[in-house]
Amino acid sequence: MNNFTVNSIGRVRVSEEGFCVELDKKYIPALQGLDGFSYVQVFWWFDGCDNEASRSSLTVNKPYKKGPEVMGTFATRSPERPNPIALTPAYVTGIDHENGIIYLAYIDAFDNTPVLDIKPYTPSLDRVENPEVPDWCSHWPESNEESGEFDWESEFNF
């Protein structure tokens, strides 16, 4: 088995002012050319689930109310997984190049969460025109924008 070294490039910041990714100073030059992209893909570390028990969890009992009784970790968005990596497409509301801050409309991570990488969202590579999903989740919103209005609380068993 291979082991890899992954380093944080910054942190998610959540405050009364909103959401942002604050880059470590040495990564600020990597922001060049990001202007004009309305969304970025933020890869972050579920640091609260970085323990042996969470990393050993390969199945979960009925996490979704309309889902199967048991699901494999790879069929869920659970933070409990072999490598606690998360991915969030986030709407960019602004970029402070001087201080290395990407302002976001929202991100589903806690304050001080480690950020692993950022990639621009491009429809030619990231968008799937007609994805297929199981029947139990086919009523979920068809876009990130619609998700904000959806009653997600009624979907989960936790």
Side-chain angles (χ1 to χ4, degrees):
M1 175 178 246
N2 293 329
N3 289 313
F4 301 93
T5 301
V6 177
N7 298 306
S8 170
I9 62 165
R11 299 277 173 178
V12 169
R13 297 294 183 203
V14 179
S15 68
E16 293 174 3
E17 288 83 41
F19 304 88
C20 68
V21 170
E22 186 177 277
L23 297 176
D24 294 344
K25 297 273 186 239
K26 72 180 186 179
Y27 296 107
I28 292 175
L31 288 173
Q32 292 179 35
L34 194 58
D35 293 300
F37 288 98
S38 62
Y39 279 83
V40 290
Q41 302 271 27
V42 181
F43 294 83
W44 49 278
W45 197 255
F46 274 119
D47 55 332
C49 293
D50 192 1
N51 58 66
E52 189 175 334
S54 292
R55 284 176 168 252
S56 299
S57 178
L58 301 179
T59 60
V60 62
N61 292 326
K62 199 166 178 81
Y64 306 106
K65 290 181 180 175
K66 296 178 181 173
E69 291 301 316
V70 176
M71 292 182 72
T73 298
F74 298 149
T76 74
R77 303 287 295 210
S78 171
E80 296 194 353
R81 47 198 330 106
N83 291 302
I85 298 169
L87 169 64
T88 300
Y91 182 73
V92 177
T93 60
I95 300 174
D96 177 343
H97 289 273
E98 186 175 325
N99 295 303
I101 299 172
I102 304 170
Y103 295 98
L104 307 172
Y106 176 77
I107 188 167
D108 56 341
F110 295 117
D111 185 48
N112 211 33
T113 296
V115 174
L116 303 177
D117 203 354
I118 296 167
K119 295 184 181 198
Y121 175 91
T122 56
S124 58
L125 299 173
D126 300 317
R127 182 175 169 209
V128 176
E129 194 70 35
N130 296 303
E132 294 183 17
V133 297
D135 287 341
W136 61 266
C137 67
S138 62
H139 65 285
W140 288 3
E142 292 187 15
S143 71
N144 185 280
E145 293 85 354
E146 293 174 7
S147 290
E149 304 297 320
F150 189 71
D151 181 16
W152 287 107
E153 301 242 349
S154 68
E155 298 296 315
F156 298 105
N157 283 324
F158 50 86

